[in-house]
Amino acid sequence: MVQLTSRSASMSVESAEHAGHSAGTGRDEASAAAGQGAAPVAGAEEPGARGGSPDRLRQLVHRTDRQDVFPTGLTRLTDTQFSVSAHWPRDHRFFSPVDGRHQDPLLIAETMRQTTMLIAHDQFGVPVGDAFVMWELRYTSVSGRLELGDDPWDITVDVSCSRIRRRGRSLGSMHLELLLHRHGTVLASGGGRISCTSAGVYQRMRGHRAAVLGTPVPLLPAVAPSTVGRTSERDVVLAPAPDPGTWLLRLDTRHPTLFGRPNDHVPGILLLEAARQAAHAIAPGRTFLPTEMQADFLQYVELDRPCLIEATPLPADEESPAGVLIRAVQDGEPAFTCTLRAPDPHRAGAGDARSDLS
């Protein structure tokens, strides 16, 4: 339980681009007709860098360090449609370039997560003290669209919310569809489903886990960073396990990005990174660039119990390139599943051919 996405949002990138341009035109017209303009994030005393108070933005996206905050501003287009500006760094302490040429695709997932929370807090009245439960994550991208180049990475996220269920004056749950684009080019499409739990209800549900907050978690030995696509042991989230294709989840609660704030369970972004590292580990000889992701968060992964990460190769088919199925298993039960797919460099970019927009 920690994610975001609507199954109906899993469209190809080229169809997403067409839909995004069509929907964008309609939204702009609707916005103009309603007299709506760019709405700064609520609570911003002065417009901060690229569109909002940095302190307020950090609070609304649940990040404590400014360099881990990617949204920069928010525009309300209609009651259910929004445009969020965002900035991706060219080099980040954790979301670093892949193979030196591509932006880290996990920036897509993290930007979706932060965008969802920003809109929920700022536009749907979710109190900052409430808890989010995100259930799925889906995105599709194209490796060529993630090549670094020389230009700054200022992007726009178009968001459409649906199946909105209220809880009193706040938000109970909703589905989202998200389209990330830059310079008129679609970077990724995806979506999400989120539910919100009041602070009081969360306390009743998880109050017994409060004791783990701030409690040191034994740091397991790391696998070699190079085997999981990392350069620093600090960023490795897998530890050796006896069976091939399996690892133990390695938790460093001092990690500035993965554990940027106190948490009573394993953060979702850490599970996604574990999936990426496991996929890289069983795809030796090449860099694994996860341009397609489908993740389901089934239950909380607890900090103080062993969690096994299992990886199974998936063959390519007519619809999808080869990939890896990853499961996180705790107490004998699956807690997280994730399918990652990457373009095959030996097939002349065949993995990207279905989404070629040129």
Side-chain angles (χ1 to χ4, degrees):
M1 300 165 70
V2 185
Q3 33 319 1
L4 57 159
T5 275
S6 161
R7 298 181 191 276
S8 64
S10 55
M11 62 180 77
S12 65
V13 174
E14 71 267 31
S15 62
E17 182 171 64
H18 179 268
H21 287 317
S22 301
T25 301
R27 285 198 298 272
D28 290 344
E29 291 172 351
S31 176
Q36 297 167 330
V41 174
E45 297 83 3
E46 296 290 341
R50 299 188 299 272
S53 161
D55 289 340
R56 181 63 172 165
L57 282 170
R58 282 199 295 268
Q59 185 181 38
L60 297 183
V61 302
H62 297 195
R63 284 296 190 180
T64 56
D65 192 322
R66 183 175 179 177
Q67 70 173 294
D68 293 332
V69 176
F70 302 127
T72 59
L74 169 63
T75 300
R76 181 188 182 97
L77 302 174
T78 72
D79 287 345
T80 59
Q81 295 172 312
F82 308 91
S83 178
V84 172
S85 58
H87 177 78
W88 287 356
R90 294 181 58 82
D91 193 12
H92 185 271
R93 66 185 175 198
F94 179 74
F95 298 102
S96 53
V98 179
D99 66 19
R101 296 192 305 117
H102 295 94
Q103 283 281 21
D104 184 351
L106 286 194
L107 279 167
I108 300 169
E110 179 63 8
T111 301
M112 287 180 169
R113 185 191 74 85
Q114 292 188 18
T115 294
T116 298
M117 291 192 297
L118 173 61
I119 290 172
H121 283 310
D122 193 67
Q123 297 293 313
F124 287 94
V126 177
V128 172
D130 282 9
F132 286 88
V133 177
M134 296 182 291
W135 297 94
E136 301 171 335
L137 174 62
R138 308 263 193 285
Y139 72 68
T140 301
S141 185
V142 177
S143 63
R145 303 293 171 86
L146 299 175
E147 290 183 358
L148 281 169
D150 297 322
D151 294 337
W153 277 77
D154 294 309
I155 68 173
T156 300
V157 186
D158 293 334
V159 185
S160 179
C161 304
S162 63
R163 286 175 275 183
I164 299 166
R165 184 176 62 84
R166 291 284 182 177
R167 174 174 52 80
R169 302 178 69 177
S170 186
L171 178 70
S173 63
M174 66 179 174
H175 289 68
L176 303 98
E177 295 183 3
L178 301 98
L179 191 70
L180 285 70
H181 54 94
R182 172 177 179 252
H183 301 326
T185 298
V186 172
L187 297 175
S189 63
R193 176 171 63 93
I194 188 170
S195 61
C196 305
T197 304
S198 70
V201 171
Y202 190 83
Q203 173 63 25
R204 291 195 292 273
M205 290 171 49
R206 299 281 298 171
H208 65 290
R209 302 299 303 169
V212 305
L213 287 172
T215 302
V217 175
L219 185 61
L220 300 177
V223 301
S226 61
T227 64
V228 293
R230 283 294 179 179
T231 58
S232 171
E233 184 176 294
R234 180 192 68 171
D235 296 327
V236 175
V237 298
L238 300 181
D243 296 327
T246 65
W247 301 265
L248 288 170
L249 190 62
R250 180 178 186 262
L251 305 177
D252 182 356
T253 55
R254 300 166 301 175
H255 194 285
T257 297
L258 295 177
F259 284 92
R261 55 183 288 164
N263 213 325
D264 65 5
H265 59 273
V266 176
I269 191 63
L270 193 150
L271 294 173
L272 296 178
E273 176 63 16
R276 187 249 293 276
Q277 291 188 16
H280 188 97
I282 66 170
R286 70 183 180 99
T287 299
F288 192 90
L289 186 75
T291 53
E292 297 183 27
M293 174 183 285
Q294 300 182 37
D296 292 280
F297 298 74
L298 308 175
Q299 60 188 28
Y300 291 113
V301 176
E302 307 295 357
L303 296 169
D304 55 354
R305 299 203 291 274
C307 180
L308 193 66
I309 303 297
E310 305 171 344
T312 305
L314 297 174
D317 56 33
E318 292 183 357
E319 298 296 326
S320 302
V324 183
L325 171 64
I326 300 97
R327 296 199 318 158
V329 179
Q330 190 170 64
D331 299 329
E333 297 290 335
F336 164 77
T337 63
C338 183
T339 298
L340 297 176
R341 296 187 184 273
D344 186 347
H346 302 297
R347 296 177 60 194
D352 281 357
R354 299 182 315 283
S355 298
D356 186 0
L357 310 184
S358 61

